[in-house]
Amino acid sequence: MRKRNRFNVLFGLCNLISLLTWLPLNAQQKPSSDSLFVEYLLEKKYYNDVLQWTGKHQYLPYFRALAFYNQQQIDSAIHYFERVPVQHPYYIKSRFLEGFGHTFSKRYEKADTIFTILKVVDSLQIALRNLQLAGVSLLKRDTLRFSTYQSQFTGKYFAFSQEEEMLKQSFDMIKKHRRKSPVVAGLMSAIVPGTGKMYAGKLGQGVITFIQNVALGFQAREAYRKDGWKSPRFLLYSGLFTFFYVGNIWGSVLTVNIRQQEFNDKVDGQILFNMQIPLRTVFNQ
Amino acid sequence: MDRFCLICRFLCVLFLISRGGVAQVSWTADSLVAVGQFDLASVYYEKALFDQSQKIDSLNTDGYRLMANELLYKKIRCQKYLKRFEDAWQTAQRFNLNEPNDTLHYKLRYEAALTGYLSQHYGEAHGQILQTRFYIRDSTLFSGLDVLEILTLNELDRWAESKELFKKYAARNQLNIDTEELYRFLKKKPKSPEKAQLLSFIMPGVGQMYAGFPKEGLVSVGLQTLALGFGVYHVWHRYYLIGFFTGAGMFQAFYFGGARRAELMAEETNQKRKAKNNQRIRMTLIESENKKGK
């Protein structure tokens, strides 16, 4: 009986020691285990799961931000990138991505401020910040400032030397691009229908518009010649002709603006792309 | 002997503690499922899988496989509740199918095929069904597979095979259903979009009627007659330009547009018929399975 008691006491003691050693260890391991798990989820691209897992206590802001960023929910990503503390190992990366997020959302001034005040010491990161600032300047169409940053392009970093070249090409495109005048397009279309659209760069549309207007004009003329200007047939066709004629002038003015917008969107897309690729390469993002 | 016993119990406690993490997370997930928080439960199952993968050395291969498959199975259940079928299909791809136990093996393969069907990967789902029939030796397990295969074959437009399988299914389950009647639509040829277009070119409006839209066919004929009449009337009265540009212009727009529309209508009719037939068979199967369940 005594032996049995001794056995039970010893067994209980062993269990207690095991638990006492395991519990603090487990508590210590939890945060790092959580970050490892979240990193694993991010690697597997389970972004919704990351948000679910970190959502309860809103902790691990860096990982939440990354999940939002990868889901292209840029505003939410920015909100969490802002909350990454300075001592965090991924603080610099967070600031870069936050700056890019603002650029992507067309908040160029905010992006400019973030990149300008960002303190980096590593030469690669300094060059990367310079590239981002150059990109933002180009998006703002501040060519003078872009030239200043461009002069600091080294071309020696494999991660983004090509993107530096591409930004220079975008700059040249912007410089060479001749903005077309909506007034000229409208006037041209008023003189010869369709030519305003041709001037804006839409040759096919211009030809079709020309044929349409000529056909309606001839029909109105035929109605006038046969029935006189008071006839319903003439009124109908002259009304239709006027409608299409005026519409064509207005359309030519709009076409010039649309073409300009298309050009801007294309160049801006290229610039953003050339800003994002280096971030991916440098930060493995 | 006592010492041996003590060592055994001590090791047992250590083992339970080391496994505690995975089990604890899994229990949390189960309790979340019980209260209907499937979204979070799904992440907890993934966490349990992750924790388990961190302790891979401490588990034997069979234990690891069994536990991982069980967790994946539960995760899929959550994703199905959330109607995230594509995610469920992706999760099913992670099953370790080297399972010697036929019942378990069947359960996993059936789940993979079902998620494939639900996520509209019909080809892959059917492939999974065929593999199930090939790899699992115990054919008594296949009763539930027939329903899934019939539905998958229907989606793949393989109606003849579906009919044959339905016959077998009906015989096996002693269903009082006339299969010939259920699949009577097979005798009807599907509408040919090309034929509908050609008919509309030859005689305006007929293509639409052939496609199953007689009213639209009549409207098309009316519009084209009006346009042509307008043109002819003006040419007759020597308004050549108006007759040509307005009359002929409108006529050609209605003529070519009508033919193209007839082609689309034939495709639409085929789609509607397929959905209707599929629904009829689906309802029959559901009713029969419900009766079996009762």
Side-chain angles (χ1 to χ4, degrees), chain B:
Chain B
M1 186 63 192
D2 276 350
R3 189 177 288 171
F4 174 74
C5 199
L6 179 69
I7 290 167
C8 285
R9 290 177 77 172
F10 180 67
L11 287 174
C12 178
V13 167
L14 280 181
F15 174 75
L16 282 173
I17 285 170
S18 69
R19 291 287 302 276
V22 179
Q24 195 186 349
V25 175
S26 178
W27 288 332
T28 313
D30 290 342
S31 57
L32 284 167
V33 169
V35 293
Q37 288 197 38
F38 302 109
D39 228 342
L40 198 56
S42 154
V43 192
Y44 268 91
Y45 285 126
E46 191 61 49
K47 175 79 167 83
L49 280 160
F50 172 75
D51 286 347
Q52 194 201 14
S53 70
Q54 300 295 300
K55 292 168 185 167
I56 192 164
D57 300 335
S58 63
L59 286 167
N60 65 38
T61 322
D62 286 343
Y64 181 80
R65 188 193 62 243
L66 283 168
M67 191 177 243
N69 281 341
E70 183 61 22
L71 290 168
L72 287 170
Y73 187 83
K74 286 179 175 175
K75 187 179 176 183
I76 289 172
R77 193 177 53 177
C78 293
Q79 288 167 329
K80 283 196 296 188
Y81 268 115
L82 295 164
K83 296 192 191 310
R84 278 162 39 190
F85 300 128
E86 183 58 39
D87 289 346
W89 163 246
Q90 293 301 335
T91 309
Q93 302 305 300
R94 292 162 62 194
F95 277 139
N96 183 343
L97 295 169
N98 296 321
E99 184 57 62
N101 180 321
D102 264 3
T103 313
L104 274 180
H105 193 177
Y106 172 76
K107 183 176 138 181
L108 301 178
R109 283 203 182 266
Y110 180 82
E111 201 58 30
L114 179 64
T115 51
Y117 173 77
L118 291 172
S119 58
Q120 300 181 353
H121 294 281
Y122 301 118
E124 284 103 325
H126 190 243
Q128 196 61 254
I129 292 167
L130 294 180
Q131 285 182 50
T132 309
R133 290 195 193 282
F134 180 79
Y135 286 114
I136 294 168
R137 275 157 275 164
D138 185 358
S139 59
T140 56
L141 295 166
F142 297 156
S143 60
L145 209 58
D146 289 344
V147 175
L148 192 57
E149 190 167 5
I150 292 167
L151 293 174
T152 311
L153 286 169
N154 289 355
E155 294 295 343
L156 292 167
D157 277 339
R158 289 160 65 172
W159 299 101
E161 290 167 70
S162 160
K163 185 182 168 184
E164 286 309 308
L165 198 62
F166 193 94
K167 271 184 189 169
K168 285 180 195 164
Y169 169 79
R172 199 175 298 132
N173 293 289
Q174 295 165 344
L175 296 178
N176 191 20
I177 294 169
D178 186 357
T179 312
E180 290 301 328
E181 173 62 24
L182 193 64
Y183 283 86
R184 194 186 48 188
F185 62 87
L186 283 181
K187 286 173 188 159
K188 255 188 182 177
K189 271 188 182 175
K191 302 285 181 191
S192 159
E194 292 79 19
K195 194 174 170 182
Q197 192 182 35
L198 188 68
L199 282 171
S200 267
F201 275 133
I202 296 166
M203 180 62 206
V206 177
Q208 283 93 329
M209 291 175 192
Y210 162 77
F213 293 84
K215 279 182 194 168
E216 288 217 23
L218 287 174
V219 171
S220 178
V221 174
L223 285 171
Q224 288 181 55
T225 313
L226 272 176
L228 200 63
F230 182 90
V232 171
Y233 173 85
H234 280 85
V235 171
W236 187 261
H237 290 88
R238 295 170 184 262
Y239 291 94
Y240 298 113
L241 289 171
I242 293 175
F244 177 74
F245 285 119
T246 308
M250 281 200 306
F251 175 74
Q252 68 86 27
F254 289 132
Y255 180 75
F256 289 105
R260 174 79 190 117
R261 179 105 183 93
E263 188 186 7
L264 294 174
M265 281 171 169
E267 283 168 10
E268 193 185 322
T269 303
N270 288 340
Q271 286 292 328
K272 275 185 185 168
R273 276 188 187 172
K274 182 186 164 185
K276 191 180 152 195
N277 296 328
N278 204 354
Q279 181 64 9
R280 213 149 57 99
I281 297 169
R282 198 182 294 142
M283 291 315 293
T284 313
L285 287 169
I286 290 171
E287 271 174 33
S288 126
E289 288 297 304
N290 282 344
K291 274 180 196 167
K292 263 168 70 182
K294 278 176 190 170

